[in-house]
Each structure stands twice: as structure tokens, then as C-alpha cells.
Amino acid sequence: MKAHFSTFILVLLISAVKAQSTEEVGMSPWGPQDEIGTLNMMTEDSKLEILSQIQSGKTYDLSVDYFVGMPSFDALGDPSYQYWLTHTPNGTVVDNPNGLGKAMNQKVSYTGDAISMYTHMGTHIDALNHFGLNGKIWNGFTPEEHLGDKGWKKTGSETIPPIIARGVLIDVEEALEGLSENYRINAEDLKTALRRQKVKLRKGDVVLIRTGQARFYEDANEYLDKYPGISLDAVKWLVEDQQIMLLGADNLSLEAFPPEREDNWVPVHTYLLAEKGVMFIEQMFLEELAQDHIYEFAFIAASLKLKGASGSPMRPIAIPVR
């Protein structure tokens, strides 16, 4: 009897471990055609509520600059940021591309330029098709049915609505008085920072995590080197217990590396995007907010409507509220 009981307990433990490690694409509570996940939590009333609390015209730009040599995730062969001039004032005089002659082109100067870039560069939002699990993305959409030669037919960046919501900065770097290399921010760290800031999270919040990494943004080697990031424990607390709507951080890829799971190289990405339908913003600039101790604000942002794309540049702003 004792042996049978021990075997029974062992089976239960093995089953619990397997259940804990299971990762499956989530099906949306907002219906089979949902493409924006938790952004459905945003309503006209919720937007009006936070906008009505704005107490001044002061704004904080939460985005970084784009420039040749900027930090980017190019380890897997994705292109770096490129910029080139297509027209210059003197070149227009020499080439006369408009056929209007030297006198006109000397009078009216003309500068034109172009860029080439990976969609996950600088301050950007990850769309729900960016990472999936077991051949599917959020809400069960599959590449066989929904991915064409010109991008995804579902959950592309063009589906992301303008975002207006209560924003909360969690300054982990200040609360812990610095973060070590590759430090993995846990739920207790977030709770400690929130207590120190005397701020409570609410359902539907946009939560921004400051690691302090943005201080090194101008130096790609330092910015990309062994940066701290958020853990699965922390994002599960934010999403499941606090019911946040959107997440953001000031580092390259939100989570820390090496990954905390041996069977998934980006477990935080897949948990948020594929399992829970929670988008997030990477490579934000949060230094000015932190310097002024602005922890609650109206968060306003919109991304480019890049049809079918897995991410898009974004320029978020924060406006303090009372």
C-alpha cells in the first residue's frame, strides 16, 4: 500500500511538472477573429478617463533616435539601419533631374533621403504574429492559412490601434540601486519598486519597466552587452494577477539572456505574444520620466500601419496626470 501511494505521489509530481512546462497558443476571449489581444481592454471610456486627468502640457518623449550604427538585433542576419541621400541641393543643380534648369535648381534647394531597416529596431512594438508556438500564433492562426508572400493576413502591425491608457513606470533600477549583468527581474522586484513609488497597478494599465539600459543607447556595444531583463515570473504576475494591457521596457528585447527555459529560447516573448495576446514595446527611453519621478501618466502612442508586418516603429509619449 505504501509503495502504491509513493508511486501515486510520483505520478502526480511528474504530471504537475509537465503541466507547468506546457506552452500552448492562447485562444482569444474576444472571439475567433481577434487580432489585437489585450488591447481590446481599451475603450472610449477608459481613454477619456485618463485624458481627463492630465494636469499640464508637459510631455515626455519615450522613444530613441534612429541613426546609422544604432543598436539592433542583427545576430540572426536581420539588416542594420541604413540611411542615404537621394537628392542634395548641389546634386540637383548638377543632375537637373526635374528638367527645370540650373537657375531654378539654384533658387529652390532640394534634399531627399531614404532609409532601410528591420521593423524591430529602435522604439517599436511587437505585433502578435512576431512569435508563435508549435506552428501557430495568437488565436490559433497558422502560416499555412494566413501568411502570404506579402506578410501575415492576421495580426499585422496595421491592426494595432492608437493606444491611450493609464501608464505606470516601474523604476526597478532605482529601487534595487542598480542591476547586475543579465539580471532577471522578478515579481518581488516589481512589488518592491511599486511600494517605494507608492503606486498601485490597475486593470488595463500600460506598464513600463526601467532597467537603466537606455543610458547606454548611444554606444551599441555597451547597450547590447549582458543587459538585464524581465523574467517569466514577473510577466505572469503582471498579466495574470494585475491584468495589465501592454508592457514596455528600455532594453533590447524585454527579457534577459540566456533564456530561463532550456526548451524555449525566448520564453517571455512566446508567453506574452502567443499564449496571452499581450503586445509589448522594446527599446524605450525612460530616463527623463525616472529623473522627474513621474510614475503615473497618460500614455499615448501609435505605430506605423505596416500591413502584415510583425512589428512597427512607435513614438510613445507620456503626459503626467494628477
Side-chain angles (χ1 to χ4, degrees):
M1 179 70 177
K2 186 175 181 181
H4 287 303
F5 181 74
S6 298
T7 302
F8 176 69
I9 293 297
L10 181 61
V11 170
L12 283 179
L13 289 173
I14 292 173
S15 299
V17 169
K18 286 184 177 179
Q20 186 179 18
S21 64
T22 299
E23 297 171 291
E24 296 180 355
V25 163
M27 303 306 293
S28 176
W30 294 281
Q33 297 305 313
D34 172 49
E35 301 182 56
I36 62 171
T38 54
L39 290 185
N40 283 289
M41 298 168 72
M42 184 172 51
T43 66
E44 290 187 10
D45 287 342
S46 70
K47 289 184 281 188
L48 184 60
E49 179 181 0
I50 190 63
L51 290 175
S52 68
Q53 297 176 37
I54 291 174
Q55 61 182 2
S56 75
K58 184 174 178 58
T59 60
Y60 292 83
D61 190 336
L62 309 182
S63 62
V64 297
D65 292 340
Y66 287 75
F67 57 90
V68 175
M70 66 185 285
S72 66
F73 186 76
D74 56 11
L76 302 184
D78 296 296
S80 60
Y81 179 81
Q82 298 295 326
Y83 168 93
W84 63 96
L85 289 159
T86 58
H87 295 284
T88 62
N90 190 64
T92 302
V93 173
V94 174
D95 293 339
N96 190 29
N98 54 17
L100 297 177
K102 183 176 182 179
M104 177 65 78
N105 287 321
Q106 284 179 327
K107 177 181 179 180
V108 181
S109 64
Y110 178 23
T111 297
D113 38 25
I115 63 170
S116 173
M117 59 180 286
Y118 180 42
T119 53
H120 296 267
M121 296 187 72
T123 306
H124 67 276
I125 188 169
D126 283 6
L128 294 179
N129 58 27
H130 186 38
F131 278 99
L133 285 166
N134 306 310
K136 298 179 181 179
I137 60 172
W138 167 251
N139 217 9
F141 300 126
T142 65
E144 290 79 11
E145 186 176 356
H146 302 106
L147 178 59
D149 288 341
K150 302 299 185 291
W152 281 89
K153 306 298 183 183
K154 294 290 186 179
T155 72
S157 295
E158 80 281 5
T159 66
I160 302 172
I163 299 165
I164 301 174
R166 178 181 184 248
V168 173
L169 172 69
I170 304 183
D171 194 345
V172 181
E173 200 276 342
E174 181 179 69
L176 301 187
E177 299 180 353
L179 301 177
S180 58
E181 293 180 346
N182 299 119
Y183 183 78
R184 221 179 293 280
I185 298 165
N186 59 51
E188 285 305 313
D189 296 333
L190 300 182
K191 295 173 186 177
T192 296
L194 287 167
R195 283 195 298 268
R196 179 179 177 133
Q197 297 170 189
K198 298 180 180 179
V199 175
K200 292 185 177 180
L201 297 179
R202 303 173 192 162
K203 181 179 179 180
D205 279 348
V206 174
V207 174
L208 309 181
I209 308 296
R210 178 177 177 261
T211 69
Q213 200 65 14
R215 294 172 297 179
F216 313 121
Y217 183 74
E218 297 294 323
D219 182 348
N221 289 331
E222 189 167 6
Y223 182 77
L224 301 175
D225 184 46
K226 300 176 182 177
Y227 53 85
I230 198 165
S231 68
L232 270 172
D233 163 68
V235 292
K236 287 181 178 181
W237 179 73
L238 288 170
V239 172
E240 297 175 24
D241 294 350
Q242 303 302 304
Q243 300 182 66
I244 69 163
M245 180 178 73
L246 183 70
L247 189 59
D250 59 356
N251 60 4
L252 179 75
S253 57
L254 195 71
E255 60 190 295
F257 292 97
E260 57 191 293
R261 290 183 64 133
E262 293 183 357
D263 60 345
N264 187 334
W265 69 283
V266 282
V268 171
H269 277 63
T270 56
Y271 170 79
L272 290 170
L273 298 173
E275 294 186 58
K276 296 299 182 180
V278 181
M279 297 183 222
F280 50 88
I281 307 167
E282 296 168 316
Q283 295 177 255
M284 304 187 74
F285 182 74
L286 305 175
E287 294 305 294
E288 292 179 353
L289 274 181
Q291 181 180 337
D292 291 351
H293 304 290
I294 303 297
Y295 303 123
E296 298 177 74
F297 43 86
F299 178 90
I300 303 173
S303 56
L304 300 180
K305 298 171 75 172
L306 304 178
K307 197 164 185 178
S310 65
S312 171
M314 174 172 271
R315 190 169 186 178
I317 63 170
I319 308 177
V321 296
R322 58 175 179 268

